[in-house]
Amino acid sequence: MTRTARFTLDPAFTVGPVNPRLFGSFVEHLGRCVYTGIFEPGHPTADEAGLRQDVLDLVRELGVTAIRYPGGNFVSGYKWEDSVGPVEERPRRLDLAWHSTESNRFGLSEYIAFLKKVGPQAEPMMAVNLGTRGVAEALELQEYANIAEGTALSELRAAHGDKDPYDIKLWCLGNEMDGPWQTGHKTAEEYGRLAAETARAMRQMDKDVELVACGSSNQSMPTFADWEAKVLTETYDLVDYISLHAYYWPEDGDTGSFLASAVDMESFIENVVATADHIGAKLKSSKKINLSFDEWNVWYLPEWEARAKEFARDEWPEAPRLLEDSYSVTDAVVFGSLLIALLRHADRVTVACLAQLVNVIAPIMTEPGGAAWRQTTFFPFAAAARYGQGEVLDVRVDSPTYQTKKFGETDLLHATAVRAEDGTVTVFAVNRSQTDALPLEVALGALGLTSVAEHSVLADADPEARNTLAEPERVAPHAATGTVLDGGVLKATLEPLSWNVIRLA
């Protein structure tokens, strides 16, 4: 039998408070995320604005907060002016990023209206185009969106039907500008100067804007760390965040390493923190740059790249089916582990965006004219967003290990815990073993906890089980048995290959 994994929780030892923005998401004009995803006039559930009510219900259940828009790679060719005003007058454009045609039927006003219908927790996170455009266009968008009245562009917004400003506080200064695939790709020096000038100008309009500078597209980029250092040297006093993006998939059938993907995510976070703090020290600054992990997910990227080569380059389809990964139980366990990694670094990761929200590598899937359903990854995110609010407790596990090809010796247990304002504690835990249950003991010390309110598990006898249009409820969390709190010690057994939510009252 696998030896018991253990850790101790103490209210005196914490990581930091969870910023609600940690549970953000991402809507890009890519594939069917917007069209036939959140927006489908004529759908049986569509409201007067064309928003699918079945999708809105699931988005609210998911619990997302900040929603990044409109990209992603799409933003580097984005002309915001195309997306405002009377819909029938908006131009159709070629989108170079995803080799598609953009109709602009859904634009800036529709995005803001969508957020309002999601609920008060949904906050805009707007990206500006620093690929093919620059300072002037960013300022024009900021004026249109945020100035109340009395200027040409604020009056234009009112004439378009939105008298009240959008009050967008959180802005991304471009997207993945380190990537050669990006339209308008730049060197670190080129981007750093442009980001600094854009940030300086945007702060002249509103000193309280919050700005995200582009970091590396992933930790394996050849320019990683050097990029962050050069960009932050130019922007350190002008921005609030540096971005991180990371996607994970099983390489060559190596499930063991795939299950340990969060090892890379935690390393990425810690390396960016170290680089940012190094630049802060060089600049003699007491300021700390926080991290915006504004794209993360499981994504079967090699499969997409292989299919992309088959596209007819003379065709520019509108809202094609792109990146519609179907997620298994194994994928959901890895996904849950990535959420744990973000929570474990809540002191510096204060914004995070699951990429993306609907249809495109998403927790929610739809069929045009038909149903909407939850993917397996929906359940870990919804649970974390609901019960992961509060103070993250410092968790240092003593766990049995296993060997991985990519990361060497790795803990079978990956875990964190969050204490809510009312004193209740939620433990989030993943058992990475593909074959064996993992006994768990948690010493609860001075937390004053007396009972187990719930132990929910996402696991399945078939690790490849998934929810589909034909079987939308094939996979769902179930209640664990035998979990007890005795003498200040939580005792539980984590099923093989499982994501666990244990709530203690």
Side-chain angles (χ1 to χ4, degrees), residues 190-202:
E190 290 168 339
Y191 170 72
R193 289 289 298 132
L194 177 58
E197 292 305 323
T198 306
R200 189 173 288 109
M202 292 182 74

Side-chain angles (χ1 to χ4, degrees), residues 353-370:
C353 300
L354 164 63
Q356 291 187 16
L357 185 58
V358 184
N359 286 328
V360 175
I361 53 171
I364 299 169
M365 296 298 293
T366 71
E367 189 63 19

